[in-house]
Amino acid sequence: MANASAKKASAARSAAASTYRPLVVGINIVHFLIRLYQYSVSGNTTLLSTTSLAIHVLLLVLTGIAYRGILDDYAASATSTSKITGSSIGSSGSSGSSSGSKNKLAGGASLDLLGLIVIIQYGSALISDAFYWLLGILPLWGAVRLYKTVTGAKDGLMGGGGGGSGVQNSGGTGSAGHYGVSGGGGNNDAAEERRRKRAERRRMKRG
């Protein structure tokens, strides 16, 4: 089971990489060419200032973080979907959850981060440097990602507890059936005991 989950995660990561790697590389190459053209035409030295270069480096680093996060989310989604599917056999409610997980777009907060970076890159290059102020959203993004990580861990723990309860409930149902049979046997024994006592009383009357 562990090997199967690892293979699914690896396959999902590879599939995501084949989709997002060309996209991420293409976005950054086009952005670089736009900036290079602007510098060659206008000769604006602010494009090569320390602050501007630091922001570009930061955006590249964030792009790499977002890219790795997207791949990790695809791998985690493939693994969790496999676990949900395996545990939902015979349970329509769990099957519905599995279907919802399959339909959910993977990438999560990292995909949102990548979108924000693209908006900042092309907004600042084509419209105004004021788009750099959108970097102030990053602390909020970090807080949201931390919240999702914590709640996801709690859901995982609660899901594990729920699975245990399901096993116990199944065992309880089986025990109830067992007790029902035992109870029936007890009733038969009591009826037999009453018949035996009545027979003894009849013999005593005859005697």
Side-chain angles (χ1 to χ4, degrees):
M1 181 62 71
N3 290 335
S5 297
K7 288 180 180 179
K8 286 187 177 182
S10 178
R13 185 184 293 273
S14 298
S18 66
T19 299
Y20 285 96
R21 185 184 295 118
L23 180 64
V24 169
V25 172
I27 287 172
N28 283 279
I29 289 177
V30 172
H31 176 255
F32 173 76
L33 292 176
I34 291 173
R35 287 298 190 181
L36 184 62
Y37 173 78
Q38 290 175 338
Y39 176 74
S40 64
V41 171
S42 65
N44 188 354
T45 57
T46 59
L47 296 174
L48 298 178
S49 66
T50 303
T51 302
S52 180
L53 291 176
I55 291 176
H56 292 319
V57 170
L58 174 61
L59 290 174
L60 287 175
V61 171
L62 291 174
T63 300
I65 293 174
Y67 173 72
R68 292 297 300 271
I70 290 171
L71 299 190
D72 291 342
D73 194 77
Y74 266 84
S77 297
T79 303
S80 62
T81 300
S82 174
K83 289 181 179 179
I84 292 173
T85 303
S87 62
S88 64
I89 297 175
S91 174
S92 59
S94 298
S95 297
S97 301
S98 175
S99 177
S101 299
K102 290 179 180 179
N103 294 331
K104 181 182 177 182
L105 178 64
S110 297
L111 188 58
D112 297 335
L113 175 61
L114 181 61
L116 176 62
I117 293 169
V118 172
I119 291 174
I120 293 173
Q121 285 179 321
Y122 285 87
S124 61
L126 301 176
I127 301 175
S128 170
D129 287 343
F131 275 84
Y132 286 137
W133 288 104
L134 290 176
L135 289 170
I137 298 176
L138 290 178
L140 177 61
W141 172 84
V144 170
R145 183 165 187 177
L146 179 62
Y147 172 76
K148 289 183 177 181
T149 300
V150 172
T151 55
K154 287 183 178 179
D155 290 342
L157 292 175
M158 292 175 66
S165 298
V167 172
Q168 291 175 359
N169 290 339
S170 298
T173 303
S175 299
H178 175 70
Y179 292 149
V181 173
S182 297
N187 291 335
N188 292 335
D189 291 341
E192 181 64 27
E193 181 66 18
R194 287 194 294 271
R195 286 194 294 270
R196 187 178 64 80
K197 289 181 177 181
R198 286 196 296 269
E200 289 180 353
R201 285 196 294 269
R202 284 195 295 269
R203 283 197 297 270
M204 290 174 66
K205 289 180 181 179
R206 294 193 192 101

